[in-house]
Amino acid sequence: MRFQKTTAAVLALFVATPALAQEESSPFSVSGSIGLASDYRFRGVSQTDKEMAIQGGITVGHESGFYVGTWGSNLAGWGTFGGSNTELDIFGGYKVALGEGVALDAGLTWFMYPGGADKTDFAELYAKLSGTLGPVTLLGGVAYAPKQQALGRWYVSGASASTGVYDDPGDKEDNLYLWADVSGAIPQTPVTLKAHLGYSNGNAGLGPNGTSIAPTGKYLDWLVGVDVAVPGTPVTAGVAYVDTDIGRSESAYLLPNFASTKNGSSIAGGKLVFSLTAAF
């Protein structure tokens, strides 16, 4: 999610007076990415009915460690959260080095669903600790969304949601997500191996728009995959197997809201996800 652009005027100034350009270099950095994915999985669950997604973001960072940014993706089906076809995240935080190869990153993400029904948006705090061990990068994270209406158990089941009559209108619930990532580059190759394990604990029901970011309340999601950097370009091609431990019997009470895709497969079931990303 990093994007950078340089105007011709700035480039000309840099070429003409390199010493001055270096002395007056900005304390800010701008970076980002844009990409295509065969499926948008949020914590293991498809947000596009297992169909393609176009995604991108931009981050502005300061040398002090503070940063702000935004990221977006198209949506479909379960991921629409009240009729929106877009997710737009606004985030900000602070990243600090704690030692050789170790960093702490903490901040806040505001999840927005433009064009959706009322009470769709919610805020989530996060903290991530990362480090390196030889060629391996390790990351552990926690994300906590305080009690909010968007996360409440307004409907006990999908049957209740289909009637449009709330079981508990105005209910507020919180949500906890814990995760660990590991990745490592294969020496002298453009290949990086990666893996992810996450745990969700939240509302075991449906929110005011008939959805939930933790569909069955408590569940695990995981990923194993490979990224390949295309030599001489900012492009990375990836493939990953994504899955959850949400079974059909566990999610049955959410139907018809937690619907299967057009081919009958579960949106929480395992699938190979392909991606192509360009970073700037």
Side-chain angles (χ1 to χ4, degrees):
M1 298 187 290
R2 298 191 173 275
F3 178 79
Q4 185 173 359
K5 59 182 179 181
T6 307
T7 65
V10 173
L11 180 59
L13 177 61
F14 180 82
V15 173
T17 56
L20 178 61
Q22 291 174 10
E23 290 173 1
E24 297 182 358
S25 60
S26 172
F28 294 94
S29 61
V30 182
S31 55
S33 70
I34 187 168
L36 291 171
S38 61
D39 187 8
Y40 170 26
R41 291 294 181 109
F42 179 74
R43 298 173 185 175
V45 178
S46 178
Q47 308 293 287
T48 51
D49 276 357
K50 289 188 172 181
E51 299 294 336
M52 183 172 289
I54 181 168
Q55 304 170 331
I58 185 170
T59 300
V60 178
H62 188 267
E63 61 185 11
S64 65
F66 287 99
Y67 61 88
V68 294
T70 185
W71 181 89
S73 176
N74 63 287
L75 302 172
W78 176 263
T80 58
F81 284 84
S84 175
N85 60 7
T86 305
E87 176 186 332
L88 182 63
D89 305 340
I90 306 295
F91 57 87
Y94 177 72
K95 186 173 183 179
V96 59
L98 300 180
E100 186 66 30
V102 179
L104 176 64
D105 184 353
L108 173 73
T109 301
W110 182 253
F111 293 87
M112 299 191 299
Y113 301 89
D118 292 339
K119 308 178 200 60
T120 54
D121 304 348
F122 66 95
E124 184 177 74
L125 299 163
Y126 62 85
K128 299 179 284 186
L129 184 65
S130 60
T132 57
L133 185 62
V136 177
T137 298
L138 304 170
L139 183 147
V142 54
Y144 178 71
K147 289 186 176 182
Q148 297 160 77
Q149 288 192 15
L151 307 178
R153 191 185 189 195
W154 290 41
Y155 295 109
V156 173
S157 66
S160 295
S162 65
T163 69
V165 179
Y166 296 124
D167 295 304
D168 190 5
D171 181 46
K172 297 181 179 180
E173 301 288 345
D174 60 357
N175 193 86
L176 175 68
Y177 186 66
L178 306 173
W179 80 96
D181 294 341
V182 58
S183 63
I186 298 177
Q188 299 180 352
T189 75
V191 178
T192 297
L193 306 179
K194 61 184 181 181
H196 161 89
L197 177 64
Y199 168 74
S200 292
N201 187 338
N203 162 23
L206 298 172
N209 300 300
T211 51
S212 172
I213 62 168
T216 55
K218 299 178 182 179
Y219 75 96
L220 296 172
D221 71 273
W222 57 87
L223 172 156
V224 289
V226 178
D227 286 336
V228 179
V230 180
T233 75
V235 176
T236 298
V239 59
Y241 179 78
V242 186
D243 203 355
T244 75
D245 68 347
I246 298 176
R248 288 185 178 272
S249 60
E250 292 176 293
S251 61
Y253 79 99
L254 296 170
L255 298 175
N257 292 52
F258 195 74
S260 300
T261 57
K262 58 187 177 184
N263 66 4
S265 62
S266 169
I267 59 174
K271 183 185 179 183
L272 281 176
V273 176
F274 300 90
S275 62
L276 196 64
T277 306
F280 304 92

